Amino acid sequence: LSSIMLKSSSGKTVRLGDVATVSYDSVTSQITRFDRSVSVSINASLAPGHDLGGQVEAIRKWAKTSMSDGGRIAFSGDAEMMKESFISLLQTLLIAMLLIYIVLAGQFNSFIHPFTIMTALPFAVSGALITLFLANEGLSIMSFIGMIMLMGIVTKNSILLIDFALQQIRDGVAVVDALVESSRVRLRPILMTAGGTIMGMVPVIASTAQGAEIKHSMGWAVFGGLIFSTLITLFIVPVVFSLFDGIGKKN
């Protein structure tokens, strides 16, 4: 260390040992631990145009290939809060589905027809996930909120279809004929309400304002999930209704 050459303000070169004394001394050492393991903390902020979920996943992939054996990575701060929020939102999603079933069971005075109406829900969620993948959007808190919104919107389409079919059946119309007539009569209101909601998501998706990228995933989730579930509602729900009706009559 004493032989390191330094350049002075006048341009001359001198040895460090000529202007300083190098000696050994003791200093206070500090070892940071996390979960009883030696740890190093790294703080980072999101760059504009990136979502938290996507960056967390990118860091996980990097850690799998770059960290030494025995090393592991743990997230804190916003990433940890996001994980806790996902668990809470998943519980909210399940509670929402339970409440929808209870309300429908009371409205239709049946434990079978709510299942028929709710068959569109899994297709809404899968449609939202496919759309998020195609749009290169990560699964974030906002996209999860969009899926919870889909629960009520999608159920409404099935209610329009099944409620009219049940009215026809009570008037003595055959099940198949009632479903065909219901699909024909209810097609326009279903497309109108779904189309209005879908077009309402376009400004959310297309917005380029500062901070608007946070809402893009929610817009894409509702946009794709509603398109997919609306198409499915017109085909799958009548089929499932006829199957459940046949099982009910046998029992």
Side-chain angles (χ1 to χ4, degrees):
L1 290 176
S2 300
S3 301
I4 292 177
M5 305 304 292
L6 303 175
K7 191 174 183 179
S8 66
S9 58
S10 61
K12 294 182 179 180
T13 303
V14 296
R15 293 173 62 252
L16 176 62
D18 294 336
V19 296
T21 300
V22 180
S23 62
Y24 290 98
D25 203 347
S26 60
V27 296
T28 303
S29 61
Q30 180 178 355
I31 299 176
T32 305
R33 293 182 176 274
F34 182 82
D35 285 346
R36 295 184 298 175
S37 301
V38 178
S39 66
V40 175
S41 299
I42 301 175
N43 298 321
S45 299
L46 282 176
H50 295 277
D51 64 283
L52 181 59
Q55 296 309 299
V56 167
E57 187 61 30
I59 293 173
R60 289 188 192 277
K61 291 180 180 178
W62 170 85
K64 288 181 180 179
T65 58
S66 303
M67 292 187 68
S68 59
D69 294 338
R72 64 187 181 90
I73 188 170
F75 291 95
S76 60
D78 289 343
E80 186 178 18
M81 291 175 59
M82 183 183 69
K83 180 180 179 181
E84 295 174 354
S85 298
F86 270 129
I87 296 175
S88 299
L89 287 171
L90 182 60
Q91 294 173 347
T92 303
L93 184 66
L94 296 176
I95 293 173
M97 295 177 66
L98 177 62
L99 291 176
I100 288 172
Y101 176 81
I102 293 173
V103 172
L104 292 177
Q107 285 183 336
F108 289 95
N109 196 26
S110 170
F111 293 106
I112 297 178
H113 294 314
F115 282 114
T116 304
I117 294 171
M118 295 175 65
T119 51
L121 297 184
F123 297 101
V125 174
S126 59
L129 294 176
I130 293 172
T131 305
L132 289 172
F133 175 76
L134 295 177
N136 198 25
E137 291 282 348
L139 186 60
S140 62
I141 294 176
M142 296 303 293
S143 61
F144 225 112
I145 293 174
M147 292 183 193
I148 296 175
M149 289 171 56
L150 278 174
M151 298 298 101
I153 300 172
V154 170
T155 305
K156 175 261 307 173
N157 292 337
S158 299
I159 291 174
L160 286 173
L161 197 65
I162 298 304
D163 182 62
F164 190 83
L166 289 174
Q167 292 179 16
Q168 295 287 304
I169 293 173
R170 284 193 290 266
D171 292 338
V173 181
V175 174
V176 175
D177 295 335
L179 290 172
V180 172
E181 181 66 14
S182 177
S183 299
R184 185 187 66 82
V185 173
R186 294 300 194 188
L187 175 62
R188 185 179 179 184
I190 288 176
L191 293 181
M192 288 174 62
T193 54
T197 308
I198 291 170
M199 296 306 296
M201 290 296 107
V202 173
V204 178
I205 296 170
S207 177
T208 57
Q210 186 177 3
E213 63 273 3
I214 300 176
K215 303 176 184 178
H216 285 174
S217 58
M218 181 184 70
W220 280 116
V222 178
F223 182 85
L226 193 54
I227 290 177
F228 196 70
S229 63
T230 300
L231 297 175
I232 293 298
T233 299
L234 299 172
F235 295 97
I236 298 298
V237 172
V239 174
V240 174
F241 180 89
S242 63
L243 292 175
F244 275 108
D245 184 74
I247 295 173
K249 288 181 177 179
K250 290 181 181 179
N251 292 333

